[in-house]
Amino acid sequence: MFLFILVVKAQLRSNSGDFEIELSGDHYFQYHLPTSENNYNTLIKAPKWINELGLEVNHQNIELVSKWELRGAMDETGNWQDMSGIRIKENYLKINNDKVSWSFGFQDYAWGVADDLNPTNNLNPKDYEIKGFETEEISIFSAAFKYYPNDKWSFQGIFVPFEQSDVYFWKYEDFIPDEFFYENQFSGLNNENNQPQLEAISQVKNVKIRNLEFSPKSSLGAFKANYYSSGLDFSFSYIYDIDPYYTPDITLDRYAVKIDSDFKNWIFDNLSETKANSLMSQMDGNKSYKVSEINLERNRIHRFGFDAKTIIDRYGIWLEACYSLTEDNGNDSYKVRNHDLAYTLGFDFFYGPNQRFYFNLQYAGKWIPKFDDDFFTIYKNGIPDRNLMDNEPYMEEYYYRSLVQPFGIHTEGYTHSISTSMDFSFFNSTLKPTINAYYSIPVNYDKMEKKRYGSLLLLPELQYSPGHSLHLYLGANLAYSWFKPYGSDKVRSDDTTDLIGFLNSYNNIYFKISYAWKHKMKGP
Amino acid sequence: MKNKKTMFRMLVCFLITVITVGNLYAQPNKGYEIMKKYDELKEPKDSYSEGRLVLENKKGNVKKREMLVYSKKQAAGYDSFFEITKPADVAGMRFLTIAQKGDDDQRMYLPAFGKSRKISGSGKDGKFLGSDLYFYDLEDHDLEDFTYKYIKEDEWDGKAYYVVESYPVDKDAPYSKLTNWVRKDDYYVYKIEMYDKKQGRLIKTSFINEIEIIDGIITPLEMEIINHLDNHKTMYYQGAYKINVGIDDDVFTVQNLEK
C-alpha cells in the first residue's frame, strides 16, 4: 500500500503602512516500505503526515516569526495518536537596526560552508526521530545579535540560557549491558577444569538520566566572526557548549560472592570431606564489584571552529573544521571522552548540457587523539579478568572504558569519509534524480573485537515537479556497516556499534508528496 | 572606454545589450559605429522592478516565477539583488551579485538553510531559473569582448533596422555568433538571433515586444525568448519599474541578503 502526502500552505496579509503579514504552509505525506525489518516501528518508517504552518509579521524594522509543526504518524500498533503532536519550530522576534540585528526566541542557526557535513554547526539540538538518516534541527531558545560593521565583516553572538537536548528514537539505557548490574554466585564445577563456576543473578538495572538544571549553570555561549570578499570568505567561531552525548557516572558496589545452596549440598553429598573443605575454602570470602548505579550526564565541551570558501573558475572549494575540547584537560582520563578534530574539505561544480547537472564531492575526517583502541585486547571477549574482580580500580576502569567512548560514538581513532551529492535536471527541472552517498572507513580501532570494512549511507531520490509547488518523490534510505566479528569468517552489514550500522534495521523505500503555499499582503 | 552592457539588464532594465562590438580601435567599421551608438544610449543609475518569468514548454505547460529585482551601477558594472516571491516552494530565495573586474562575486540565500553562501557559477550556458536566458547573457561584457560585422539594412514589423553580427572573443561563450537588429530611429536592439558554438545553428531568438521611454531612457516592459532547439519559450514582464530612485548601497550587501 502506498501512501500519499498532502501538503498545504497558506498565507494572508493585512495592510497598514509598512505592515506586512505572511502566512505559509508546507505539508508532506510520506509512506515507507521497510526493506530490513518488516514493521512500521518508529517515526522513521511509520506512514506520516507533517504540516509546518508559519506566520510572519513585518512592521518597519521589526520581524515576528512563528512556525509550528503538526505531526501525525501511524506506528506498528496502527494508532495515530501515539505518534502525533505539535512541535514548536522557529518562533522569534527580530529587530533590525542600521548595522545590527537583535533576535530573541526559538531560532535556527546554520553554521559552516560545507554541504551537510558541518563540524562547526553545533548549536541547535538534533531530532533523529523523524528521518534518522538525515537529522532535523530543533529550534533553540536563545538571544542573539549580528553586527555588520562594514561590507567585509560580521560578528555574531548567541546566548542560550539553558541547554536543550537532542531527540532520539533509541534509549541510551538499552546500550548498557544488564550484566553490569548482576551479582555472581558459585553454582557448579566447570566440566573442563573442575574449578568452581560462576553464575550471574539478575539485579535491578539502575540507570538514571541526570538532566541538566534549568538554570544559568547550563547556559551556552557562542561567538562567530565572518569575513566576506570576492576572493575568499572565512570565519572563526567558538561555542561554550555541552556535549550532546551522555557520559556515565558509575557507582560500584562490593559484594560477597555467594555459594548456591544446591551446589553447597552437592559438594558435601558427593565429595570427600577433604576435597569439600578445600573447595569451600576456595570459594568462601570471595568478593567482587558490580555496578550499583549509573547516572548519565552531559559534560561541558569547548568548540573552536573555522571555515573558508572560495570560487576558482567555476569550482566552489571549501574547508571547515572544528576542534572540540572536552573536560578531560590532559586527554588521558578513561572517565571522560577525549578531544576530537572534525573536518570537511570539498568542492562542487555544474556540468552537462546547459549546466543542468550538479556534482559535489567532499572528504571528511575525524581524529580522536589518544583513542582507546585496546579494550578487547585487555579484556578478552570484553569480560574482565575473574581474578581481578575484587580489585576496585581495575573494575572501575573496566566499566568506564566499556561505556564512555561508545556513548559519544567514538568508535575509532581516525575516520576517513567520502561524500558525494549529484543532481540531474531533466525536462526543465520537472524530473530531477538525485544521489547522496556517504562512505566512511574506520582506522585505529580494536581489531580484537571485529574487523570493520566501512559504512555506507545511500540516499537516492527521484523528484517529479509538475509545478505549482507540488512535488512527488520516490526514494530510499539505505544504511550498511560491514564487519567481521573476531574469530568469524562471516561478514555482516549491520554493525550496530556504528551510527550508520545502527540505522540498518530502518532501511526503507519511500514515496512522498509535498506541497507548499504562501500568501502575503502588504500595507497601503 | 569601459562602458559595459549586459543581458542582465534585460531583466534589470530590460535593455538588450550583450551583443557585441569589436575592438573599436583596431578595426572600426560601420557595424561597430552602429553598436557604439547603441552602447551610448542613456542608462539608468539604478532601477527597481517586479519581474515575472513565464516559462512555456512545447506541450504548453507553463511555469511562473515572480521576483523583486534591484540593480545599481557601480564602477565595475551593475550590482544586483533578486528575491524570488513566487512560487511558494522557492519563495524567499535571494541572489546577490557584486560586480567585479574579473568574475562577479555571487551569493545566494536559501530560507531552508537560513544562511547565505558564496556560490560557484553555473557556467556560461547554465539557464537562469530554468528560463531560456543563459548566465552568459546576464554577465557584464566589455565592448572589446566581441568583434562585429555590418550585414545589411532590413525591415521587420514595419520598421527599418540595421543588422549587425557580433562574434564573442571569449572561447567559453556559448554562442558562435549573434545577429542584432538595431532600429534605425533610436539605435535600440529589438531582436537578437543567437547561434550555437559547435554547429552554428540558430538556437534562440529574443524580442523586445514592448517598451516605455522614462526620462529619455528606453525601458523594455516585455521580452520574449524562443528556444528553437527545445521548443521552449520564456516571457519576461517587468512591472512597477522605477529608475534613478536612489537605491541605497546597503541593498547590495550580505547583511541585506541575510535579513
Side-chain angles (χ1 to χ4, degrees), chain A residues 194-213:
Chain A
N194 242 15
Q195 290 297 305
Q197 187 170 271
L198 288 170
E199 176 192 38
I201 305 168
S202 65
Q203 305 285 315
V204 175
K205 189 174 181 178
N206 189 8
V207 179
K208 293 174 184 163
I209 291 180
R210 196 178 284 166
N211 288 318
L212 289 160
E213 288 181 46

Side-chain angles (χ1 to χ4, degrees), chain A residues 124-250:
Chain A
N124 289 93
K126 307 279 189 296
D127 185 348
Y128 294 85
E129 215 178 11
I130 287 267
K131 295 178 182 170
F133 294 79
E134 298 167 283
T135 55
E136 277 194 354
E137 299 207 334
I138 300 169
S139 301
I140 192 165
F141 187 72
S142 55
F145 77 88
K146 198 159 186 184
Y147 172 51
Y148 299 81
N150 52 48
D151 289 349
K152 296 287 182 192
W153 289 94
S154 74
F155 301 97
Q156 187 177 19
I158 296 161
F159 176 69
V160 180
F162 50 88
E163 165 61 359
Q164 293 132 74
S165 303
D166 290 356
V167 175
Y168 309 106
F169 59 92
W170 63 84
K171 288 183 179 173
Y172 263 84
E173 299 92 307
D174 295 343
F175 293 101
I176 300 173
D178 295 349
E179 290 79 3
F180 282 13
F181 297 86
Y182 289 180
E183 283 188 5
N184 291 315
Q185 68 172 8
F186 292 108
S187 60
L189 291 177
N190 185 307
N191 290 334
E192 291 177 6
N193 58 19
N194 242 15
Q195 290 297 305
Q197 187 170 271
L198 288 170
E199 176 192 38
I201 305 168
S202 65
Q203 305 285 315
V204 175
K205 189 174 181 178
N206 189 8
V207 179
K208 293 174 184 163
I209 291 180
R210 196 178 284 166
N211 288 318
L212 289 160
E213 288 181 46
F214 182 66
S215 78
K217 283 182 188 172
S218 68
S219 63
L220 311 183
F223 179 79
K224 188 163 186 258
N226 304 288
Y227 175 78
Y228 315 98
S229 75
S230 57
L232 179 74
D233 283 7
F234 65 81
S235 80
F236 294 98
S237 61
Y238 167 73
I239 305 177
Y240 180 55
D241 202 358
I242 289 175
D243 195 335
Y245 305 114
Y246 288 107
T247 301
D249 179 17
I250 300 171

Side-chain angles (χ1 to χ4, degrees), chain A residues 432-436 459-463 473-476 510 512:
Chain A
K432 188 184 274 190
T434 61
I435 300 171
N436 288 298
L459 309 171
E461 187 178 79
L462 179 65
Q463 182 185 155
Y473 305 84
L474 182 64
Y510 65 84
K512 185 168 95 170

